[in-house]
Amino acid sequence: MRRDIFQAIADPTRRAIITLIALQAMTPNALAEHFDTTRQAVSKHLRILTECELIKQEHRGREIYYQLEIDKMKEIDKWIEQFRKIWETRFDQLDNLLATLQKQKNEQ
């Protein structure tokens, strides 16, 4: 069964892994040092993120480095963009209401 990218990012540990490898490619051992869990648990999270194509592996000698797959992250951003527009419109409406209320208060 192929996992959905939103299932992958629903887990806080996987989001933390994404945050870490967004800065630089890392090995599973290096990632595991950042968590209070086993390397095997981190490997499971990496497998899920790889299945969802949010990260990719790069072999460097005997080590495997994981790095962020930017294009997949753009998919998430594109989906969130529709809500960002709604939020911005509502915040603009709230700003206008607060400005009107402040103006009315100053006129009293």
Side-chain angles (χ1 to χ4, degrees):
M1 182 179 106
R2 185 166 176 115
R3 297 178 194 268
D4 181 89
I5 56 176
F6 295 100
Q7 288 174 315
I9 63 172
D11 184 275
T13 301
R14 289 193 286 271
R15 288 194 307 268
I17 289 171
I18 289 170
T19 301
L20 288 168
I21 65 173
L23 301 173
Q24 68 180 24
M26 298 179 79
T27 64
N29 287 335
L31 284 164
E33 292 175 8
H34 293 273
F35 300 97
D36 188 24
T37 187
T38 64
R39 187 198 176 285
Q40 290 79 13
V42 170
S43 291
K44 181 181 176 185
H45 289 298
L46 291 170
R47 183 174 38 80
I48 292 168
L49 291 168
T50 302
E51 286 173 9
C52 295
E53 300 175 348
L54 284 168
I55 63 174
K56 63 182 176 182
Q57 299 177 356
E58 180 183 331
H59 293 271
R60 297 182 196 165
R62 294 177 51 183
E63 295 285 345
I64 297 174
Y65 285 80
Y66 288 87
Q67 58 190 23
L68 192 59
E69 192 62 67
I70 298 297
D71 289 337
K72 273 296 190 181
M73 294 301 292
K74 288 179 185 177
E75 262 185 55
I76 296 167
D77 184 56
K78 184 177 178 181
W79 185 80
I80 291 173
E81 179 63 27
Q82 64 187 328
F83 300 102
R84 187 177 297 124
K85 290 177 183 176
I86 293 168
W87 300 330
E88 287 174 357
T89 299
R90 290 186 179 170
F91 284 134
D92 289 344
Q93 290 170 343
L94 180 59
D95 283 344
N96 291 337
L97 175 63
L98 291 173
T100 300
L101 292 174
Q102 186 65 38
K103 183 178 176 183
Q104 289 174 351
K105 182 180 175 184
N106 290 340
E107 290 175 354
Q108 292 177 354

